[in-house]
Amino acid sequence: MDLLKTCFRYREMLVSFTRRDLRQRYVGSVLGWPWPFIQPIITLAVYYLVFNVLLDQRFPKVLRDDIAERLGEDPDSTRVGSVLVVLLCTGLIPWMMTAEYVMRSANVILESGNLVKKMAFPTELLPVSLLGSYLLNMTILFGVFLALTWIFTPFMSPLWWLFPVVVLCHALLVLGLGYLLATANVFVRDVSQLLPIVVNLTFFLTPIVYVREILVDETGTPRPWVAIFDWNPFAHLVELYRWVLVIPAEVRVRAAPGGGFEDLPVSHVYLVLALFAAFCFLLFQVGYRTFMANKHKFADEI
């Protein structure tokens, strides 16, 4: 509530910071505003080419066959492939926003060092303004993506109304991380140097270019390392985006405890979302309180 009151009281400053970040990101470029759309499209094309064509790292057969049956197409047809590309997009778009924000947030206090040292203002607005610019880009990109998805593919999740809830949880998750990283990087500058390595490692530990069902063998028995993904909050974030946007209930599958696959009940989605929301709120509380407890030291450390 304190943060919400501060954001409302200094709303003009918050909007000004957000506009400044958006301008700085594309200042001097020829294309300007189209870049938020061009970058994800190129990145998506590269990932799809590498993982699904060159390395032949396909989505699990049970998911491909299920989609093909409902489309009345061959499992290797272009139309089935387009639906699988949609799954790839739904994981890639929020991950790109998350990765960029996390790496930028570590330096948000240092980048505004002159303001922090010379002006008395609520520095907790800096991570929020940075998040606002990234959420705006992600929302616009998702809008274009979903419009194309619903036109060219027959699938739309009946849980689409949960999308704002997932976005709110996503915002709390990255904002909590942003507060922690911004605080830590003021005192230990190695944080910003180590962060790209951690982000790249997390990318491959998150089911973005694949789905979680690929981590089981032919019988549906989970492989030993699947526990790593169960404890990865970003893995659950990506799965939630897929569940509430593009995967209808008929296509939701999961590995059965005794082997093989079984339908994923909608109640499971609600349970995962509730647990994930609790975790995001807790992380945000820890990050925000850590930031506020140390903000008075920032000017001396910069």
Side-chain angles (χ1 to χ4, degrees), residues 59-79:
F59 287 91
K61 186 175 184 299
V62 64
L63 188 61
R64 179 182 290 270
D65 292 345
D66 197 280
I67 293 173
E69 181 181 352
R70 284 164 173 75
L71 291 177
E73 301 275 351
D74 184 84
D76 294 320
S77 67
T78 303
R79 196 177 181 197

Side-chain angles (χ1 to χ4, degrees), residues 10 16 20 23 83 87 94 100 106 112 119 122 142 188 206 210-211 215 217 241-242 248 275:
Y10 296 92
S16 177
R20 183 192 65 172
R23 285 197 302 266
V83 177
L87 295 179
E100 291 180 8
S112 304
M119 291 180 56
F142 254 132
V188 183
T206 304
Y210 55 90
V211 291
L215 303 174
D217 58 23
Y241 270 114
R242 285 174 173 158
L275 294 175

Side-chain angles (χ1 to χ4, degrees), residues 136-154:
L136 177 62
N137 284 340
M138 188 189 75
T139 303
I140 295 174
L141 188 60
F142 254 132
V144 175
F145 161 70
L146 290 176
L148 296 175
T149 297
W150 294 337
I151 291 174
F152 294 105
T153 64

Side-chain angles (χ1 to χ4, degrees), residues 28-274:
S29 63
V30 177
L31 295 179
W33 287 101
W35 274 117
F37 304 96
I38 296 175
Q39 289 174 336
I41 292 174
I42 295 177
T43 305
L44 170 65
V46 171
Y47 285 151
Y48 185 77
L49 175 65
V50 171
F51 289 97
N52 286 278
V53 179
L54 299 181
L55 298 181
D56 196 27
Q57 182 66 40
R58 296 182 178 272
F59 287 91
K61 186 175 184 299
V62 64
L63 188 61
R64 179 182 290 270
D65 292 345
D66 197 280
I67 293 173
E69 181 181 352
R70 284 164 173 75
L71 291 177
E73 301 275 351
D74 184 84
D76 294 320
S77 67
T78 303
R79 196 177 181 197
V80 173
S82 66
V83 177
L84 298 177
V85 170
V86 168
L87 295 179
L88 177 60
C89 286
T90 315
L92 184 61
I93 292 174
W95 170 257
M96 291 183 64
M97 189 280 282
T98 300
E100 291 180 8
Y101 175 81
V102 166
M103 289 192 287
R104 285 277 319 269
S105 64
N107 292 303
V108 69
I109 300 299
L110 299 180
E111 290 176 355
S112 304
N114 290 332
L115 290 176
V116 174
K117 290 189 293 185
K118 297 179 181 179
M119 291 180 56
F121 74 100
T123 52
E124 60 269 27
L125 292 181
L126 293 174
V128 178
S129 65
L130 186 64
L131 177 63
S133 64
Y134 280 105
L135 280 180
L136 177 62
N137 284 340
M138 188 189 75
T139 303
I140 295 174
L141 188 60
F142 254 132
V144 175
F145 161 70
L146 290 176
L148 296 175
T149 297
W150 294 337
I151 291 174
F152 294 105
T153 64
F155 293 148
M156 182 179 71
S157 173
L159 300 178
W160 58 268
W161 55 275
L162 288 175
F163 176 71
V165 181
V166 177
V167 173
L168 177 60
C169 294
H170 187 183
L172 289 176
L173 174 67
V174 295
L175 188 57
L177 283 175
Y179 278 128
L180 286 174
L181 293 171
T183 303
N185 197 47
V186 170
F187 301 100
V188 183
R189 306 298 167 86
D190 302 78
V191 171
S192 59
Q193 303 300 322
L194 181 63
L195 203 52
I197 302 174
V198 176
V199 169
N200 287 332
L201 177 62
T202 307
F203 171 81
F204 290 101
L205 293 178
T206 304
I208 298 171
V209 295
Y210 55 90
V211 291
R212 189 182 182 278
E213 285 74 25
I214 208 171
L215 303 174
V216 298
D217 58 23
E218 293 78 6
T219 65
T221 304
R223 302 183 189 275
W225 57 82
V226 74
I228 299 176
F229 299 85
D230 290 336
W231 290 96
N232 178 7
F234 298 105
H236 297 292
L237 175 65
V238 169
E239 285 193 328
L240 283 170
Y241 270 114
R242 285 174 173 158
W243 287 340
V244 304
L245 289 178
V246 296
I247 306 182
E250 295 83 4
V251 185
R252 292 195 184 98
V253 293
R254 67 174 175 182
F261 290 91
E262 64 182 7
D263 292 337
L264 180 65
V266 176
S267 59
H268 178 78
V269 179
Y270 294 144
L271 176 61
V272 172
L273 179 57

